[in-house]
Amino acid sequence: MYARRRRVYLLLMSGCLFLFVSAWSFVRFLSVEAAVALCVVAMIIPPVAAVIANRRGPDDRWWDDPSGDPKSDEWWDELDGKRRHED
């Protein structure tokens, strides 16, 4: 899971860097408006990449999963209004 998300994040950020560098390296000689448009697209990519990189997968642990510390889990369950059934 993590490797795939890291790979997607790396691809998106590499694309962002490519757009930004190409916009001001050679596209600006053809059209300044196109260079600005490329920069606007490059500006949108980092927040999208961050959302994708931090997205929870179906097998990922999340904040509501037990931590393994019985005292801490009991305390959090009490705060959340959950009661564990003691056997």
Side-chain angles (χ1 to χ4, degrees), residues 7-69:
R7 194 175 319 122
V8 171
Y9 180 79
L10 179 65
L11 286 172
L12 284 170
M13 292 307 289
S14 298
C16 174
L17 187 61
F18 173 76
L19 286 174
F20 185 74
V21 169
S22 66
W24 298 112
S25 294
F26 58 87
V27 174
R28 70 183 168 112
F29 295 123
L30 302 173
S31 169
V32 173
E33 292 83 8
V36 170
L38 285 177
C39 284
V40 169
V41 171
M43 180 181 67
I44 294 170
I45 293 174
V48 172
V51 168
I52 289 173
N54 292 314
R55 184 179 55 188
R56 177 184 179 205
D59 297 331
D60 292 343
R61 289 197 47 169
W62 204 242
W63 68 82
D64 57 350
D65 288 340
S67 67
D69 178 19

Side-chain angles (χ1 to χ4, degrees), residues 63-78:
W63 68 82
D64 57 350
D65 288 340
S67 67
D69 178 19
K71 188 72 172 169
S72 175
D73 291 340
E74 180 182 332
W75 185 74
W76 281 109
D77 287 344
E78 182 180 338

